[in-house]
Amino acid sequence: MGSHETERKTTGWAARDPSGILSPYTYSLRNTGPEDVFIKVICCGICHTDIHQAKNDLGKSNYPMVPGHEVVAGHATQTVNNTVPRRSGRTTMSTPMVIPLKVALPVPWSLIKNGMAPEQVAPLLCAGITVYSPLNHFGLTASGLRGGVLRLGGVGHMGVKIAKAMGHHVTVISSSDKKKVEALEHLGADEYLVSSDAEGMQKAAGSLNYIIDTVPVFHPLEPTFHC
Ligand SMILES: [Zn+2]
């Protein structure tokens, strides 16, 4: 330990400009402080925010940037004087990383023991929290509630799985019937509504305790308010 320790290098796939094209990028890990943890990344999800960041859609990107914030570590150790990327650096598959201990959490061993793969854990860290948080915040965790999930993308898919795990009756509301089989047969949703189907929407009026809106762009809420 100490300043003489060999500098650690790591390689991730980085975007270097708003094209968002990724290429290998080697950088030094920062020294590990007392509040940090050194982890070995075995898997990382990519959510749409990463794509926005890589392409500078939000106008605040710093390049080079290794996208990904759904990071699963094989194990974590607290050490002193590791190396680390700049703040904008994020990590990808099988690379070491140094992060503040307060943002690391253990994956419950029971999940791993029951066959949950790291790539199944990764989306829970952003998409999963995005839908779990409002359910928890608004006290919608009791079994038996009737919930709606508006749009079946990555976040909506997690919404169906989490609401079903809570014992809810789940209706997917989508703009077309393209994902009906996926919703009902693969994800276990109970019902499927197409938002342009005026009659179906009318029949569903007043039938839901809540709707999780996972549409990532501005859109009128009024059509779904009656469900
Ligand atoms: Zn995300």
Side-chain angles (χ1 to χ4, degrees), residues 148-150 171-176 191-208 211 219-227:
V149 174
L150 186 56
T171 299
V172 170
I173 307 166
S174 188
S175 57
S176 77
E191 291 184 44
Y192 190 94
L193 273 175
V194 177
S195 53
S196 58
D197 171 12
E199 195 181 327
M201 292 292 281
Q202 185 60 38
K203 272 188 195 163
S207 66
L208 302 178
I211 296 175
H219 67 101
L221 297 173
E222 211 279 335
T224 49
F225 267 171
H226 305 296
C227 289

Side-chain angles (χ1 to χ4, degrees), residues 54-125:
K55 295 187 171 181
N56 198 24
D57 290 340
L58 308 176
K60 293 180 180 172
S61 297
N62 295 315
Y63 298 102
M65 169 200 302
V66 183
H69 54 272
E70 297 172 339
V71 177
V72 179
H75 65 276
T77 53
Q78 272 186 282
T79 61
V80 177
N81 202 30
N82 286 323
T83 68
V84 182
R86 50 191 286 184
R87 193 173 180 283
S88 61
R90 300 276 177 78
T91 192
T92 52
M93 304 284 285
S94 296
T95 57
M97 186 180 185
V98 176
I99 57 171
L101 179 59
K102 66 181 179 187
V103 302
L105 69 160
V107 177
W109 173 242
S110 58
L111 293 182
I112 307 298
K113 209 170 112 185
N114 287 325
M116 195 165 190
E119 57 266 33
Q120 293 173 309
V121 175
L124 295 174
L125 300 172

